[in-house]
Amino acid sequence: MFRRFISAIIGLTCLAVLVSAHGFEFTSNQEFLPVHEAFKVSATGTPDSVQIQIMAAPGYYLYKSKLSFQAKGIGVQPGAAVLPAGEHKDDPYFGKVEVYHNTLIARLPVQNHSADGFDVTVGFQGCAEKGLCYPPDQQIIHIGGDAGIEAASGWSATSVASAYVEGLKLFLTPGVLPVIPLLAFVLLLGELSARRGITIGLAFTAPMAAGFVVLNSAIAITEAGIEIQPIAQSVWILVPSVLILLGLATRETEIPSSQRDGHQHQAGSLFAFLTSASGAALLGLVALIYTTPFTSSAQAAVMLYLKAGGELIGGIAQLAGLALGMISPLVLAAMTLGGLLSSNGKWNQAIFVSVRGLLAIVGFWVLGRVLPGPVTLGLYGLVAVWSAVSLGVFGSLSAARSLPTRAAAIVVLLYGVFAWIGMLKGETSPSQPLGHDLSTGGVPSEQRWVVVSTPQQLAAALAEAKTSGNPALVEWVADWAPGSDQVADTARHVRLIRGSLGALKTIRVDITEGGLSTRSLLELNGLFGPAAVQVYRSDGVEVQSARLVGVTTSKEIVESLQAVVDNTDK
């Protein structure tokens, strides 16, 4: 009897414990979300990686140290996952840890050497702020075979030749075109001939090409390489380099007298040095500073190849192909300019004044990366007025052949006056110094942008767009990036297809400040700097084919936005 009593007591005690345990579980189910609702995992493939998104419900958080990512498949080689910095938390379970609230976006570099898909296993552990800690969990997501193909692609002589062709296309872009006045100025300081044009052209462009390869390789393969762009565009580097340009442009000198009487002209020791190949090489390095913030789509593709673990020699060879394509037209232009001007002496002085004016404009254009927009516009006006005076706008009309020069001087003078008026009005655009009100009939309403500067802010903005079922446009800008003003003009392009898109969420990522946060932002999105445009469908997936990198045309931006419409309708 006693034994039965004891057994009953033990049984009741066990039952009470079980009921209590189940009661906690039932309570948990009522008060806490199931693990896969508390933490929703999704992943999408990109040409060089897999982008993984984990959305933590409000009141829940993930442990950074408990995250793991594995990609398994034939011919698949994953790299180290890129994660943003977490939030520091004094956790009741694990002490001082880094955690993620809201939405986490991670990037897993992948080389996919086959055309087959593969599985990505995402391991995670999280807790609820109210006191429930979930056990470690994982989800397996299948990724299509097109992911990681770009990172796994090899290189060949054909790819280097293609890079050369892409480099030729860079000649007429803002990354290369502005260096032409500097090269022309160096040519005009010495004896003009096609032979000297080739010599100076090669000396000027060789440091540019070598620096292009070294800098872009460093950006791609070193951990802190992305910091190179903002450092090169800092006040401490830009201002001294611009002073060199302005010093050349304002120096009172004439074209060498050898072009008039056959005798070599020396305009001081500085100008004598600049007429040499060594001086041209030094100025080529200065020009490299101005081209650093530009990243073309072809350039970014090679850098992504290196970043994803591609063959170092192949990546450098393709960058060299881009560089050679970029400088070849400059050398050809130097040779042509030297040959033409040597036999066209009567126009040389007017050309020299024009080149000096363009040189000053380039200097102020570069300074515009660190100066307020209206101030830069006023400086453009100063250059225009100075050039008009140098061309003799107020002088006497002594010969019929000076009519074209006088007409050009009047036009330049008018632009200078308009630029000063625009500066006083607070305008910033050199192409529309009087503002939109006189040229386009009024300023349309500005698109509302969500401005972010950290991975967490960008993730939250994209999550908000996905939750509301809206497509999103993300543009990457920086004050020091010359292409940013063109990308930031997408506001008026958005209105062109507003009726098709409905409530398009527009997000502007400002990476002006640089630092670890900027580095994480760029690495997580497979970018190397501004300017860039991304578009996302309403389900939160980026339309990779619509991504734009570098300075783009209005047509390309509209086509990128139209891709949102096309993918939304599917």
Side-chain angles (χ1 to χ4, degrees):
M1 184 71 178
F2 178 77
R3 181 178 296 177
R4 291 181 178 178
F5 177 77
I6 295 298
S7 298
I9 292 297
I10 293 174
L12 289 172
T13 302
C14 292
L15 182 61
V17 171
L18 289 173
V19 170
S20 176
H22 281 282
F24 177 77
E25 181 179 344
F26 295 149
T27 304
S28 298
N29 288 336
Q30 293 174 359
E31 295 184 4
F32 299 99
L33 295 172
V35 63
H36 289 168
E37 291 186 20
F39 306 103
K40 296 181 179 180
V41 182
S42 61
T44 56
T46 71
D48 72 305
S49 63
V50 175
Q51 191 174 70
I52 300 157
Q53 179 175 283
I54 307 178
M55 295 183 64
Y60 294 79
Y61 58 90
L62 287 165
Y63 295 108
K64 183 178 183 180
S65 61
K66 304 297 181 180
L67 292 168
S68 63
F69 307 93
Q70 293 181 326
K72 293 183 179 180
I74 299 175
V76 176
Q77 297 178 5
V82 181
L83 294 167
E87 305 171 44
H88 294 283
K89 180 180 179 64
D90 192 358
D91 187 67
Y93 302 100
F94 298 102
K96 294 182 178 180
V97 293
E98 278 190 83
V99 300
Y100 296 109
H101 290 89
N102 302 317
T103 301
L104 162 69
I105 295 180
R107 181 171 168 269
L108 181 66
V110 170
Q111 295 184 44
N112 184 5
H113 295 271
S114 70
D116 300 328
F118 55 92
D119 292 332
V120 173
T121 302
V122 181
F124 61 93
Q125 185 177 9
C127 292
E129 297 285 1
K130 291 183 178 181
L132 174 65
C133 188
Y134 295 88
D137 204 331
Q138 67 178 25
Q139 279 192 247
I140 299 176
I141 303 172
H142 186 75
I143 303 297
D146 56 344
I149 295 296
E150 185 174 292
S153 61
W155 71 282
S156 62
T158 302
S159 64
V160 176
S162 298
Y164 177 82
V165 174
E166 292 296 327
L168 290 174
K169 298 177 183 178
L170 298 179
F171 175 64
L172 295 178
T173 66
V176 179
L177 200 59
V179 307
I180 294 179
L182 182 56
L183 176 58
F185 188 84
V186 176
L187 285 173
L188 287 167
L189 288 178
E191 183 178 357
L192 291 172
S193 66
R195 180 178 180 181
R196 182 172 176 272
I198 295 177
T199 302
I200 294 299
L202 290 173
F204 182 88
T205 57
M208 284 185 61
F212 176 89
V213 174
V214 171
L215 289 180
N216 287 288
S217 298
I219 291 173
I221 65 180
T222 62
E223 183 178 352
I226 290 176
E227 301 286 351
I228 291 176
Q229 285 186 325
I231 291 175
Q233 303 306 302
S234 65
V235 175
W236 308 107
I237 293 180
L238 280 186
V239 172
S241 66
V242 169
L243 290 178
I244 295 175
L245 291 189
L246 298 181
L248 293 174
T250 57
R251 174 70 179 265
E252 287 297 330
T253 186
E254 296 182 347
I255 55 176
S257 58
S258 59
Q259 297 175 37
R260 300 189 303 267
D261 54 21
H263 299 289
Q264 182 67 28
H265 175 74
Q266 298 294 335
S269 57
L270 174 61
F271 282 84
F273 171 72
L274 293 179
T275 59
S276 67
S278 298
L282 177 62
L283 291 178
L285 287 175
V286 173
L288 178 64
I289 296 173
Y290 309 145
T291 64
T292 301
F294 292 93
T295 304
S296 67
S297 56
Q299 180 183 342
V302 178
M303 295 166 72
L304 282 174
Y305 169 79
L306 287 172
K307 190 73 173 178
E311 190 173 348
L312 180 61
I313 295 178
I316 292 178
Q318 292 177 81
L319 286 175
L322 280 169
L324 291 175
M326 181 179 68
I327 67 171
S328 294
L330 288 174
V331 177
L332 181 62
M335 178 187 70
T336 304
L337 187 64
L340 289 177
L341 294 184
S342 62
S343 59
N344 195 22
K346 67 179 183 178
W347 290 103
N348 283 3
Q349 196 59 45
I351 293 173
F352 190 58
V353 171
S354 300
V355 169
R356 290 172 64 187
L358 289 173
L359 196 59
I361 289 174
V362 171
F364 291 138
W365 171 70
V366 174
L367 275 182
R369 304 174 192 178
V370 294
L371 290 178
V375 174
T376 306
L377 182 59
L379 292 175
Y380 287 148
L382 178 64
V383 173
V385 172
W386 170 74
S387 299
V389 173
S390 299
L391 290 172
V393 68
F394 298 121
S396 59
L397 191 61
S398 57
R401 62 182 176 85
S402 63
L403 278 172
T405 302
R406 172 65 65 85
I410 292 174
V411 172
V412 172
L413 178 64
L414 288 175
Y415 175 85
V417 173
F418 291 158
W420 283 345
I421 295 174
M423 175 189 66
L424 296 176
K425 292 175 57 182
E427 300 293 340
T428 61
S429 174
S431 60
Q432 295 177 318
L434 295 179
H436 295 270
D437 54 341
L438 294 182
S439 57
T440 63
V443 180
S445 59
E446 173 66 18
Q447 176 73 23
R448 298 184 65 180
W449 297 87
V450 176
V451 181
V452 301
S453 58
T454 67
Q456 290 78 12
Q457 291 173 347
L458 177 58
L462 289 172
E464 182 181 344
K466 180 180 178 180
T467 301
S468 58
N470 295 328
L473 178 142
V474 181
E475 61 176 29
W476 297 71
V477 300
D479 292 346
W480 43 262
S484 294
D485 53 353
Q486 188 176 11
V487 171
D489 197 33
T490 53
R492 64 185 178 88
H493 300 301
V494 170
R495 285 187 295 276
L496 296 177
I497 56 174
R498 168 64 71 181
S500 302
L501 285 177
L504 172 69
K505 188 176 185 65
T506 46
I507 305 168
R508 182 169 291 161
V509 185
D510 188 347
I511 59 175
T512 300
E513 295 299 324
L516 180 61
S517 179
T518 293
R519 188 191 313 168
S520 297
L521 268 169
L522 292 169
E523 288 179 345
L524 286 169
N525 289 272
L527 293 170
F528 294 94
V533 174
Q534 297 171 280
V535 290
Y536 288 80
R537 299 197 309 243
S538 56
D539 60 359
V541 177
E542 181 186 357
V543 184
Q544 286 286 328
S545 61
R547 177 182 288 201
L548 301 177
V549 178
V551 179
T552 57
T553 64
S554 299
K555 180 181 178 181
E556 289 173 326
I557 293 175
V558 172
E559 290 175 349
S560 180
L561 292 169
Q562 188 63 43
V564 187
V565 180
D566 298 338
N567 280 270
T568 301
D569 293 340
K570 292 179 181 180

